[in-house]
Amino acid sequence: MRINFELLDLRSFITVVELGTFRKAADALNLSQPALSRRVQSLEAALGAPLLERSTRHVATTAFGREIEPLARRLIDEFENQLLSISGVGDRQAGQVTIACVPTAAFYFLPKAIKEFNNQYPRIGFRLLDLSSAQALDSVARGEAEFGINFIGSSRGDLHFTPLVEDPFVLACRKDHPFAKRRSLKWKDLENRQLIGVSRASGNRVLLDSALAKTTVRLSWFYEVNHLSTSLGLVERGLGVSVLPRLATPQEDHPLLMTVPLVDPIVTRTIGIVERRAGRLSPAAQRFRDMLAGSWTIGQDNEPPTR
């Protein structure tokens, strides 16, 4: 079956969603309201289902519209990037790369990689969707992001996972805590301690619980938070110690905090590139993806201090 619609049909739908009314969207697109309505109706007819619920004062997306919206944005972005790629040469090449990544990647090491990339391609911008691991995977699968940086992508049949680095779990504590004097700690050393961890809904927690279930270690999570950065805030206040991936800890010397390696066993998460198996990347995204795959590793310069 062939589905026929035009790029302006997609733009019309997205603009109505963004501005909330047909009048504002028509003004933004320099169309009459009847012409805009016909554009949206044409897209709905091509897709076989309504995208918008209309009333005299309000416009809202239908359930189907909410599913289509990220794909529509992705198609528009990719079309524009392809045109810019054709017309751009060398340092004049322009475009935008959309990446769905776990917050750890967005905060600690993607900025460095982006800076290196922009030294060569200064007119290629980035849109970073910092999401939970599950949300980031869904964003890639829906086509909202060109690819993702995640750590649990290999188990989904519609996505391809390329490993990049191993990120071990470590203990974060205050520098005045007794654990700060240790060169390493066994997981058993944490039993009966007041621990700070992320919630059971977190991908990091699922990975950690699964690894420790194979041992005799039994930990007590006294505090549970939704974000790894919040756990570090509690550690700073002296409320306990936290277990979290090394890349989620401060990468420079911190005035209050330090990390200690956890061993017996060493538990790691694998961070890598997540892509749709049936998708094609824009030229700009492909260049950045290849740069990451070719050179992105955790070296000595990226390791946080443990003493």
Side-chain angles (χ1 to χ4, degrees):
M1 180 181 68
R2 177 175 296 178
I3 299 177
N4 293 313
F5 58 82
E6 298 180 12
L7 185 65
L8 186 53
D9 298 342
L10 292 177
R11 286 190 182 280
S12 298
F13 165 59
I14 291 300
T15 305
V16 173
V17 172
E18 290 178 341
L19 299 182
T21 69
F22 275 75
R23 179 183 61 80
K24 292 180 180 179
D27 290 342
L29 294 171
N30 198 27
L31 295 172
S32 67
Q33 290 190 49
L36 176 63
S37 294
R38 287 194 295 271
R39 287 288 179 181
V40 174
Q41 291 168 359
S42 175
L43 181 60
E44 290 175 327
L47 298 177
L51 300 171
L52 299 170
E53 296 176 347
R54 304 162 176 83
S55 68
T56 56
R57 295 185 178 181
H58 181 67
V59 176
T61 52
T62 63
F64 181 65
R66 288 190 292 274
E67 292 182 11
I68 291 297
E69 180 186 349
L71 179 57
R73 293 181 185 276
R74 174 74 180 84
L75 288 173
I76 292 171
D77 287 345
E78 183 167 334
F79 180 78
E80 291 178 344
N81 286 342
Q82 292 283 3
L83 287 180
L84 289 167
S85 173
I86 293 171
S87 61
V89 179
D91 60 1
R92 292 187 292 108
Q93 183 165 334
Q96 185 180 69
V97 179
T98 301
I99 303 173
C101 53
V102 291
T104 306
F107 189 77
Y108 284 109
F109 41 80
L110 263 184
K112 179 181 179 182
I114 290 172
K115 183 177 180 180
E116 293 176 357
F117 186 80
N118 280 152
N119 287 337
Q120 185 174 2
Y121 302 101
R123 297 187 61 197
I124 295 178
F126 285 81
R127 180 174 174 236
L128 301 182
L129 309 178
D130 48 333
L131 304 166
S132 70
S133 57
Q135 290 172 332
L137 291 177
D138 289 339
S139 181
V140 174
R142 291 194 304 263
E144 183 177 6
E146 296 200 70
F147 66 90
I149 305 297
N150 215 308
F151 59 91
I152 54 172
S154 58
S155 61
R156 289 187 52 157
D158 57 339
L159 299 175
H160 177 70
F161 185 77
T162 303
L164 291 177
V165 297
E166 292 296 324
D167 186 18
F169 282 83
V170 298
L171 181 92
C173 63
R174 284 177 57 97
K175 290 185 176 180
D176 57 4
H177 192 280
F179 281 158
K181 300 177 182 179
R182 303 281 294 273
R183 297 191 63 85
S184 66
L185 288 162
K186 295 182 178 181
W187 288 93
K188 276 287 187 180
D189 296 330
L190 305 185
E191 291 185 329
N192 302 318
R193 294 286 182 169
Q194 196 158 293
L195 299 179
I196 304 165
V198 289
S199 70
R200 291 180 175 84
S202 165
N204 286 299
R205 176 66 177 275
V206 172
L207 189 155
L208 184 59
D209 286 349
S210 176
L212 294 182
K214 303 172 185 178
T215 71
T216 59
V217 176
R218 297 295 177 263
L219 302 182
S220 175
W221 302 104
F222 192 82
Y223 297 102
E224 290 190 0
V225 299
N226 287 330
H227 302 288
L228 295 171
S229 58
T230 305
S231 70
L232 291 176
L234 297 182
V235 174
E236 286 188 21
R237 290 293 180 179
L239 295 176
V241 297
S242 180
V243 173
L244 66 174
R246 183 176 66 190
L247 288 176
T249 64
Q251 302 299 286
E252 305 293 337
D253 190 28
H254 192 280
L256 296 177
L257 302 178
M258 66 176 302
T259 59
V260 182
L262 288 167
V263 298
D264 196 21
I266 295 175
V267 181
T268 69
R269 63 176 187 172
T270 303
I271 293 180
I273 299 171
V274 180
E275 303 165 84
R276 293 182 303 283
R277 291 188 181 276
R280 285 189 62 186
L281 299 180
S282 67
Q286 186 67 52
R287 286 186 178 91
F288 186 62
R289 182 247 182 255
D290 291 345
M291 187 197 79
L292 292 177
S295 62
W296 193 27
T297 57
I298 302 178
Q300 290 296 114
D301 292 340
N302 296 328
E303 294 185 7
T306 58
R307 294 299 301 162

